[in-house]
Amino acid sequence: MHTGRVCDCACLCVAHRAVCVCRCDPGWEGERCERCVPTPGCRHGSCQQPWQCSCEPGWGGRFCDKDLSVCSEQQPCQHGATCVMEDSGDYACLCPEGFHGRNCQLKVGPCHQRRSPCKNGGLCEDANGFAAELTCRCLAGFTGPRCETNMDDCLMRPCANGATCLDGVNRFSCLCPAGFSGRFCTVNLDDCASQPCRNGGRCLDRAEGFHCVCRPGYSGATCETTLRATLAWEGRPPMTTGVMTQGSSGGNSSRYGDRLLKVTVSERSAAILSQVELIVLLALAGMTLGVVVLTATLVLQGHCRDCVPPGSCWMPPPPPASLRSDRLRKEPEHSEPRSESKPLE
């Protein structure tokens, strides 16, 4: 057991051999705790006691990571600058007049001689001081020799569907019209999500709003109006063609044949019938009129047949005169010779 390096050593007999296991104090390592532990991060150094970092020749610094021969071998200083080593192990360059930087690589140019003229966060550039005139590297959204002009971000027209573009500082915003959303107003909102159509109407989503397809008997923007239709017949002189007229009283009439079909529409909510609904009503009225006329014709024909008395002989009308003359000419040829009548004695 080594004093100060070993806390406890225990020896065991394993297969007739003594095996010793040592538990070391902090800062020591090895099978017999014979090596010290250097400072963590020590690169080119060693230790005599735990947590030391004694630098090797040519290296310096707290962790022995500084090359002390950098000035003599690498010569990092430029433009005739003098390289010196510091106590910390770093080097420093003593720059001549008109140069600056860690290695004296920068010249005192327009950007260094005066305050930067670049605005709105622009970066002043003068080729490390070797340029005769300075330039400004502008941030996104600005332009001009000194970055003094704010660019119009709406020139590219990023907003869709007729939205209004509002220019900002390196940004823009879109005021979307009704029915659209999103950053560029490209998302079409579902206007039928709230189920605006009433009385069983079917909703159709459109780009701007919605349209309700109403069931028969309803009308209005949301099918909120209930319709009530009445039909009236009035006798009028016969007409050869059908003409649809609209009176000032709000009723609609159509002439078919010798009668006038008048359709009177009254709405509970003072709504006006659409053109499609009016055409459907007129078509139904025309079909009804045709059925009535056909039924009346059939009834009249049956009544005339019943008027003929039973047992009477119905004679067909005589043939035309031309047909009778032809028949008289042909009759002697096909008829048998008649026997002459003898006078009675």
PDB file of all heavy atoms in Angstrom, residues 122-154:
ATOM      1  N   GLY A 122     -27.768  48.843 -42.970  1.00  0.00           N
ATOM      2  CA  GLY A 122     -26.882  48.435 -44.056  1.00  0.00           C
ATOM      3  C   GLY A 122     -25.441  48.292 -43.594  1.00  0.00           C
ATOM      4  O   GLY A 122     -24.988  48.977 -42.674  1.00  0.00           O
ATOM      5  N   LEU A 123     -24.703  47.403 -44.234  1.00  0.00           N
ATOM      6  CA  LEU A 123     -23.321  47.114 -43.881  1.00  0.00           C
ATOM      7  C   LEU A 123     -22.388  47.894 -44.802  1.00  0.00           C
ATOM      8  O   LEU A 123     -22.498  47.821 -46.029  1.00  0.00           O
ATOM      9  CB  LEU A 123     -23.043  45.619 -43.995  1.00  0.00           C
ATOM     10  CG  LEU A 123     -21.621  45.159 -43.689  1.00  0.00           C
ATOM     11  CD1 LEU A 123     -21.251  45.469 -42.243  1.00  0.00           C
ATOM     12  CD2 LEU A 123     -21.472  43.667 -43.968  1.00  0.00           C
ATOM     13  N   CYS A 124     -21.454  48.638 -44.187  1.00  0.00           N
ATOM     14  CA  CYS A 124     -20.485  49.423 -44.949  1.00  0.00           C
ATOM     15  C   CYS A 124     -19.337  48.525 -45.399  1.00  0.00           C
ATOM     16  O   CYS A 124     -18.761  47.776 -44.603  1.00  0.00           O
ATOM     17  CB  CYS A 124     -19.969  50.573 -44.090  1.00  0.00           C
ATOM     18  SG  CYS A 124     -18.819  51.676 -44.958  1.00  0.00           S
ATOM     19  N   GLU A 125     -19.006  48.590 -46.681  1.00  0.00           N
ATOM     20  CA  GLU A 125     -17.933  47.777 -47.250  1.00  0.00           C
ATOM     21  C   GLU A 125     -16.980  48.675 -48.038  1.00  0.00           C
ATOM     22  O   GLU A 125     -17.408  49.545 -48.805  1.00  0.00           O
ATOM     23  CB  GLU A 125     -18.510  46.695 -48.170  1.00  0.00           C
ATOM     24  CG  GLU A 125     -19.368  45.660 -47.451  1.00  0.00           C
ATOM     25  CD  GLU A 125     -19.872  44.597 -48.392  1.00  0.00           C
ATOM     26  OE1 GLU A 125     -19.892  44.872 -49.621  1.00  0.00           O
ATOM     27  OE2 GLU A 125     -20.256  43.512 -47.919  1.00  0.00           O
ATOM     28  N   ASP A 126     -15.671  48.456 -47.803  1.00  0.00           N
ATOM     29  CA  ASP A 126     -14.650  49.197 -48.544  1.00  0.00           C
ATOM     30  C   ASP A 126     -13.462  48.322 -48.901  1.00  0.00           C
ATOM     31  O   ASP A 126     -12.323  48.794 -48.993  1.00  0.00           O
ATOM     32  CB  ASP A 126     -14.189  50.417 -47.749  1.00  0.00           C
ATOM     33  CG  ASP A 126     -13.638  50.032 -46.373  1.00  0.00           C
ATOM     34  OD1 ASP A 126     -13.612  48.814 -46.063  1.00  0.00           O
ATOM     35  OD2 ASP A 126     -13.245  50.927 -45.619  1.00  0.00           O
ATOM     36  N   ALA A 127     -13.703  47.008 -49.100  1.00  0.00           N
ATOM     37  CA  ALA A 127     -12.647  46.062 -49.477  1.00  0.00           C
ATOM     38  C   ALA A 127     -11.523  46.062 -48.442  1.00  0.00           C
ATOM     39  O   ALA A 127     -10.329  46.147 -48.788  1.00  0.00           O
ATOM     40  CB  ALA A 127     -12.121  46.362 -50.875  1.00  0.00           C
ATOM     41  N   ASN A 128     -11.929  45.958 -47.161  1.00  0.00           N
ATOM     42  CA  ASN A 128     -10.960  45.960 -46.047  1.00  0.00           C
ATOM     43  C   ASN A 128     -10.109  47.227 -46.006  1.00  0.00           C
ATOM     44  O   ASN A 128      -8.959  47.207 -45.566  1.00  0.00           O
ATOM     45  CB  ASN A 128     -10.053  44.730 -46.115  1.00  0.00           C
ATOM     46  CG  ASN A 128     -10.813  43.438 -45.867  1.00  0.00           C
ATOM     47  OD1 ASN A 128     -11.831  43.438 -45.167  1.00  0.00           O
ATOM     48  ND2 ASN A 128     -10.337  42.345 -46.436  1.00  0.00           N
ATOM     49  N   GLY A 129     -10.708  48.342 -46.455  1.00  0.00           N
ATOM     50  CA  GLY A 129     -10.009  49.612 -46.408  1.00  0.00           C
ATOM     51  C   GLY A 129      -9.213  49.945 -47.644  1.00  0.00           C
ATOM     52  O   GLY A 129      -8.679  51.052 -47.749  1.00  0.00           O
ATOM     53  N   PHE A 130      -9.137  49.041 -48.619  1.00  0.00           N
ATOM     54  CA  PHE A 130      -8.324  49.275 -49.803  1.00  0.00           C
ATOM     55  C   PHE A 130      -9.129  49.893 -50.945  1.00  0.00           C
ATOM     56  O   PHE A 130      -8.565  50.195 -51.990  1.00  0.00           O
ATOM     57  CB  PHE A 130      -7.675  47.961 -50.266  1.00  0.00           C
ATOM     58  CG  PHE A 130      -6.665  47.438 -49.312  1.00  0.00           C
ATOM     59  CD1 PHE A 130      -7.010  46.523 -48.332  1.00  0.00           C
ATOM     60  CD2 PHE A 130      -5.341  47.857 -49.380  1.00  0.00           C
ATOM     61  CE1 PHE A 130      -6.076  46.032 -47.440  1.00  0.00           C
ATOM     62  CE2 PHE A 130      -4.402  47.367 -48.495  1.00  0.00           C
ATOM     63  CZ  PHE A 130      -4.770  46.457 -47.507  1.00  0.00           C
ATOM     64  N   ALA A 131     -10.458  50.030 -50.783  1.00  0.00           N
ATOM     65  CA  ALA A 131     -11.277  50.642 -51.817  1.00  0.00           C
ATOM     66  C   ALA A 131     -11.273  52.154 -51.667  1.00  0.00           C
ATOM     67  O   ALA A 131     -11.221  52.686 -50.546  1.00  0.00           O
ATOM     68  CB  ALA A 131     -12.702  50.101 -51.738  1.00  0.00           C
ATOM     69  N   ALA A 132     -11.347  52.855 -52.817  1.00  0.00           N
ATOM     70  CA  ALA A 132     -11.364  54.316 -52.761  1.00  0.00           C
ATOM     71  C   ALA A 132     -12.698  54.837 -52.266  1.00  0.00           C
ATOM     72  O   ALA A 132     -12.752  55.856 -51.565  1.00  0.00           O
ATOM     73  CB  ALA A 132     -11.039  54.884 -54.149  1.00  0.00           C
ATOM     74  N   GLU A 133     -13.805  54.166 -52.639  1.00  0.00           N
ATOM     75  CA  GLU A 133     -15.134  54.570 -52.219  1.00  0.00           C
ATOM     76  C   GLU A 133     -15.810  53.409 -51.506  1.00  0.00           C
ATOM     77  O   GLU A 133     -15.603  52.238 -51.833  1.00  0.00           O
ATOM     78  CB  GLU A 133     -15.980  54.992 -53.428  1.00  0.00           C
ATOM     79  CG  GLU A 133     -15.438  56.210 -54.160  1.00  0.00           C
ATOM     80  CD  GLU A 133     -15.574  57.480 -53.335  1.00  0.00           C
ATOM     81  OE1 GLU A 133     -16.432  57.511 -52.431  1.00  0.00           O
ATOM     82  OE2 GLU A 133     -14.825  58.432 -53.600  1.00  0.00           O
ATOM     83  N   LEU A 134     -16.621  53.754 -50.556  1.00  0.00           N
ATOM     84  CA  LEU A 134     -17.345  52.732 -49.807  1.00  0.00           C
ATOM     85  C   LEU A 134     -18.657  52.400 -50.509  1.00  0.00           C
ATOM     86  O   LEU A 134     -19.182  53.178 -51.298  1.00  0.00           O
ATOM     87  CB  LEU A 134     -17.602  53.202 -48.380  1.00  0.00           C
ATOM     88  CG  LEU A 134     -18.443  54.473 -48.179  1.00  0.00           C
ATOM     89  CD1 LEU A 134     -19.922  54.172 -48.126  1.00  0.00           C
ATOM     90  CD2 LEU A 134     -18.021  55.172 -46.888  1.00  0.00           C
ATOM     91  N   THR A 135     -19.192  51.230 -50.193  1.00  0.00           N
ATOM     92  CA  THR A 135     -20.502  50.796 -50.671  1.00  0.00           C
ATOM     93  C   THR A 135     -21.296  50.261 -49.487  1.00  0.00           C
ATOM     94  O   THR A 135     -20.730  49.895 -48.444  1.00  0.00           O
ATOM     95  CB  THR A 135     -20.380  49.705 -51.753  1.00  0.00           C
ATOM     96  OG1 THR A 135     -19.628  48.595 -51.216  1.00  0.00           O
ATOM     97  CG2 THR A 135     -19.690  50.245 -53.002  1.00  0.00           C
ATOM     98  N   CYS A 136     -22.622  50.208 -49.665  1.00  0.00           N
ATOM     99  CA  CYS A 136     -23.516  49.738 -48.600  1.00  0.00           C
ATOM    100  C   CYS A 136     -24.208  48.467 -49.056  1.00  0.00           C
ATOM    101  O   CYS A 136     -24.804  48.432 -50.148  1.00  0.00           O
ATOM    102  CB  CYS A 136     -24.551  50.805 -48.253  1.00  0.00           C
ATOM    103  SG  CYS A 136     -23.853  52.285 -47.490  1.00  0.00           S
ATOM    104  N   ARG A 137     -24.127  47.429 -48.232  1.00  0.00           N
ATOM    105  CA  ARG A 137     -24.865  46.195 -48.462  1.00  0.00           C
ATOM    106  C   ARG A 137     -26.167  46.277 -47.665  1.00  0.00           C
ATOM    107  O   ARG A 137     -26.159  46.209 -46.438  1.00  0.00           O
ATOM    108  CB  ARG A 137     -24.060  44.980 -48.044  1.00  0.00           C
ATOM    109  CG  ARG A 137     -24.775  43.662 -48.304  1.00  0.00           C
ATOM    110  CD  ARG A 137     -24.025  42.485 -47.706  1.00  0.00           C
ATOM    111  NE  ARG A 137     -22.719  42.309 -48.325  1.00  0.00           N
ATOM    112  CZ  ARG A 137     -21.853  41.362 -47.963  1.00  0.00           C
ATOM    113  NH1 ARG A 137     -22.173  40.543 -46.946  1.00  0.00           N
ATOM    114  NH2 ARG A 137     -20.692  41.267 -48.559  1.00  0.00           N
ATOM    115  N   CYS A 138     -27.279  46.403 -48.396  1.00  0.00           N
ATOM    116  CA  CYS A 138     -28.571  46.675 -47.747  1.00  0.00           C
ATOM    117  C   CYS A 138     -29.222  45.385 -47.264  1.00  0.00           C
ATOM    118  O   CYS A 138     -29.018  44.296 -47.831  1.00  0.00           O
ATOM    119  CB  CYS A 138     -29.510  47.387 -48.724  1.00  0.00           C
ATOM    120  SG  CYS A 138     -28.847  48.933 -49.385  1.00  0.00           S
ATOM    121  N   LEU A 139     -30.021  45.533 -46.218  1.00  0.00           N
ATOM    122  CA  LEU A 139     -30.840  44.433 -45.748  1.00  0.00           C
ATOM    123  C   LEU A 139     -32.011  44.230 -46.698  1.00  0.00           C
ATOM    124  O   LEU A 139     -32.333  45.084 -47.522  1.00  0.00           O
ATOM    125  CB  LEU A 139     -31.351  44.724 -44.336  1.00  0.00           C
ATOM    126  CG  LEU A 139     -30.291  44.827 -43.235  1.00  0.00           C
ATOM    127  CD1 LEU A 139     -30.945  45.176 -41.903  1.00  0.00           C
ATOM    128  CD2 LEU A 139     -29.515  43.519 -43.102  1.00  0.00           C
ATOM    129  N   ALA A 140     -32.642  43.064 -46.578  1.00  0.00           N
ATOM    130  CA  ALA A 140     -33.802  42.772 -47.437  1.00  0.00           C
ATOM    131  C   ALA A 140     -34.911  43.782 -47.181  1.00  0.00           C
ATOM    132  O   ALA A 140     -35.234  44.104 -46.036  1.00  0.00           O
ATOM    133  CB  ALA A 140     -34.308  41.355 -47.158  1.00  0.00           C
ATOM    134  N   GLY A 141     -35.476  44.300 -48.276  1.00  0.00           N
ATOM    135  CA  GLY A 141     -36.555  45.265 -48.166  1.00  0.00           C
ATOM    136  C   GLY A 141     -36.118  46.700 -48.349  1.00  0.00           C
ATOM    137  O   GLY A 141     -36.964  47.603 -48.340  1.00  0.00           O
ATOM    138  N   PHE A 142     -34.802  46.955 -48.526  1.00  0.00           N
ATOM    139  CA  PHE A 142     -34.289  48.321 -48.699  1.00  0.00           C
ATOM    140  C   PHE A 142     -33.381  48.364 -49.919  1.00  0.00           C
ATOM    141  O   PHE A 142     -32.763  47.362 -50.300  1.00  0.00           O
ATOM    142  CB  PHE A 142     -33.516  48.783 -47.457  1.00  0.00           C
ATOM    143  CG  PHE A 142     -34.376  48.875 -46.232  1.00  0.00           C
ATOM    144  CD1 PHE A 142     -34.452  47.821 -45.335  1.00  0.00           C
ATOM    145  CD2 PHE A 142     -35.114  50.023 -45.973  1.00  0.00           C
ATOM    146  CE1 PHE A 142     -35.250  47.893 -44.208  1.00  0.00           C
ATOM    147  CE2 PHE A 142     -35.904  50.110 -44.838  1.00  0.00           C
ATOM    148  CZ  PHE A 142     -35.981  49.046 -43.956  1.00  0.00           C
ATOM    149  N   THR A 143     -33.280  49.530 -50.507  1.00  0.00           N
ATOM    150  CA  THR A 143     -32.444  49.733 -51.683  1.00  0.00           C
ATOM    151  C   THR A 143     -31.951  51.175 -51.690  1.00  0.00           C
ATOM    152  O   THR A 143     -32.332  51.975 -50.835  1.00  0.00           O
ATOM    153  CB  THR A 143     -33.233  49.421 -52.971  1.00  0.00           C
ATOM    154  OG1 THR A 143     -32.361  49.502 -54.092  1.00  0.00           O
ATOM    155  CG2 THR A 143     -34.380  50.398 -53.149  1.00  0.00           C
ATOM    156  N   GLY A 144     -31.087  51.490 -52.648  1.00  0.00           N
ATOM    157  CA  GLY A 144     -30.511  52.817 -52.742  1.00  0.00           C
ATOM    158  C   GLY A 144     -29.030  52.807 -52.436  1.00  0.00           C
ATOM    159  O   GLY A 144     -28.495  51.842 -51.864  1.00  0.00           O
ATOM    160  N   PRO A 145     -28.304  53.873 -52.788  1.00  0.00           N
ATOM    161  CA  PRO A 145     -26.858  53.933 -52.501  1.00  0.00           C
ATOM    162  C   PRO A 145     -26.532  53.818 -51.017  1.00  0.00           C
ATOM    163  O   PRO A 145     -25.492  53.278 -50.651  1.00  0.00           O
ATOM    164  CB  PRO A 145     -26.441  55.294 -53.068  1.00  0.00           C
ATOM    165  CG  PRO A 145     -27.493  55.640 -54.071  1.00  0.00           C
ATOM    166  CD  PRO A 145     -28.753  55.051 -53.554  1.00  0.00           C
ATOM    167  N   ARG A 146     -27.400  54.334 -50.167  1.00  0.00           N
ATOM    168  CA  ARG A 146     -27.168  54.266 -48.717  1.00  0.00           C
ATOM    169  C   ARG A 146     -28.265  53.489 -48.012  1.00  0.00           C
ATOM    170  O   ARG A 146     -28.499  53.673 -46.824  1.00  0.00           O
ATOM    171  CB  ARG A 146     -27.064  55.680 -48.146  1.00  0.00           C
ATOM    172  CG  ARG A 146     -25.885  56.496 -48.697  1.00  0.00           C
ATOM    173  CD  ARG A 146     -24.578  55.877 -48.273  1.00  0.00           C
ATOM    174  NE  ARG A 146     -23.432  56.633 -48.777  1.00  0.00           N
ATOM    175  CZ  ARG A 146     -22.759  56.305 -49.862  1.00  0.00           C
ATOM    176  NH1 ARG A 146     -23.130  55.242 -50.587  1.00  0.00           N
ATOM    177  NH2 ARG A 146     -21.717  57.026 -50.254  1.00  0.00           N
ATOM    178  N   CYS A 147     -28.989  52.639 -48.769  1.00  0.00           N
ATOM    179  CA  CYS A 147     -30.080  51.827 -48.197  1.00  0.00           C
ATOM    180  C   CYS A 147     -31.170  52.700 -47.580  1.00  0.00           C
ATOM    181  O   CYS A 147     -31.769  52.335 -46.572  1.00  0.00           O
ATOM    182  CB  CYS A 147     -29.541  50.845 -47.162  1.00  0.00           C
ATOM    183  SG  CYS A 147     -28.192  49.796 -47.731  1.00  0.00           S
ATOM    184  N   GLU A 148     -31.421  53.843 -48.196  1.00  0.00           N
ATOM    185  CA  GLU A 148     -32.371  54.781 -47.627  1.00  0.00           C
ATOM    186  C   GLU A 148     -33.794  54.586 -48.141  1.00  0.00           C
ATOM    187  O   GLU A 148     -34.735  55.176 -47.608  1.00  0.00           O
ATOM    188  CB  GLU A 148     -31.935  56.220 -47.945  1.00  0.00           C
ATOM    189  CG  GLU A 148     -32.059  56.634 -49.404  1.00  0.00           C
ATOM    190  CD  GLU A 148     -30.909  56.141 -50.261  1.00  0.00           C
ATOM    191  OE1 GLU A 148     -30.032  55.439 -49.725  1.00  0.00           O
ATOM    192  OE2 GLU A 148     -30.892  56.457 -51.469  1.00  0.00           O
ATOM    193  N   THR A 149     -34.005  53.749 -49.164  1.00  0.00           N
ATOM    194  CA  THR A 149     -35.319  53.588 -49.785  1.00  0.00           C
ATOM    195  C   THR A 149     -35.920  52.243 -49.384  1.00  0.00           C
ATOM    196  O   THR A 149     -35.279  51.196 -49.518  1.00  0.00           O
ATOM    197  CB  THR A 149     -35.213  53.669 -51.319  1.00  0.00           C
ATOM    198  OG1 THR A 149     -34.595  54.905 -51.677  1.00  0.00           O
ATOM    199  CG2 THR A 149     -36.588  53.592 -51.954  1.00  0.00           C
ATOM    200  N   ASN A 150     -37.159  52.307 -48.886  1.00  0.00           N
ATOM    201  CA  ASN A 150     -37.901  51.094 -48.549  1.00  0.00           C
ATOM    202  C   ASN A 150     -38.549  50.547 -49.814  1.00  0.00           C
ATOM    203  O   ASN A 150     -39.307  51.242 -50.485  1.00  0.00           O
ATOM    204  CB  ASN A 150     -38.965  51.388 -47.491  1.00  0.00           C
ATOM    205  CG  ASN A 150     -39.791  50.158 -47.142  1.00  0.00           C
ATOM    206  OD1 ASN A 150     -39.323  49.037 -47.296  1.00  0.00           O
ATOM    207  ND2 ASN A 150     -41.012  50.367 -46.684  1.00  0.00           N
ATOM    208  N   MET A 151     -38.256  49.309 -50.142  1.00  0.00           N
ATOM    209  CA  MET A 151     -38.794  48.698 -51.345  1.00  0.00           C
ATOM    210  C   MET A 151     -40.286  48.410 -51.169  1.00  0.00           C
ATOM    211  O   MET A 151     -40.750  48.083 -50.075  1.00  0.00           O
ATOM    212  CB  MET A 151     -38.048  47.396 -51.668  1.00  0.00           C
ATOM    213  CG  MET A 151     -36.582  47.579 -51.991  1.00  0.00           C
ATOM    214  SD  MET A 151     -35.750  46.009 -52.351  1.00  0.00           S
ATOM    215  CE  MET A 151     -36.705  45.433 -53.746  1.00  0.00           C
ATOM    216  N   ASP A 152     -41.038  48.534 -52.271  1.00  0.00           N
ATOM    217  CA  ASP A 152     -42.467  48.238 -52.274  1.00  0.00           C
ATOM    218  C   ASP A 152     -42.637  46.732 -52.455  1.00  0.00           C
ATOM    219  O   ASP A 152     -42.453  46.197 -53.555  1.00  0.00           O
ATOM    220  CB  ASP A 152     -43.173  49.018 -53.390  1.00  0.00           C
ATOM    221  CG  ASP A 152     -44.689  48.883 -53.303  1.00  0.00           C
ATOM    222  OD1 ASP A 152     -45.172  48.218 -52.372  1.00  0.00           O
ATOM    223  OD2 ASP A 152     -45.382  49.447 -54.171  1.00  0.00           O
ATOM    224  N   ASP A 153     -42.986  46.065 -51.385  1.00  0.00           N
ATOM    225  CA  ASP A 153     -43.133  44.609 -51.449  1.00  0.00           C
ATOM    226  C   ASP A 153     -44.405  44.180 -52.167  1.00  0.00           C
ATOM    227  O   ASP A 153     -44.614  42.979 -52.366  1.00  0.00           O
ATOM    228  CB  ASP A 153     -43.129  44.029 -50.032  1.00  0.00           C
ATOM    229  CG  ASP A 153     -41.831  44.311 -49.303  1.00  0.00           C
ATOM    230  OD1 ASP A 153     -40.816  43.711 -49.658  1.00  0.00           O
ATOM    231  OD2 ASP A 153     -41.842  45.166 -48.391  1.00  0.00           O
ATOM    232  N   CYS A 154     -45.260  45.127 -52.540  1.00  0.00           N
ATOM    233  CA  CYS A 154     -46.489  44.794 -53.253  1.00  0.00           C
ATOM    234  C   CYS A 154     -46.326  44.856 -54.770  1.00  0.00           C
ATOM    235  O   CYS A 154     -47.308  44.651 -55.499  1.00  0.00           O
ATOM    236  CB  CYS A 154     -47.621  45.731 -52.825  1.00  0.00           C
ATOM    237  SG  CYS A 154     -48.148  45.531 -51.095  1.00  0.00           S
TER     238      CYS A 154
END
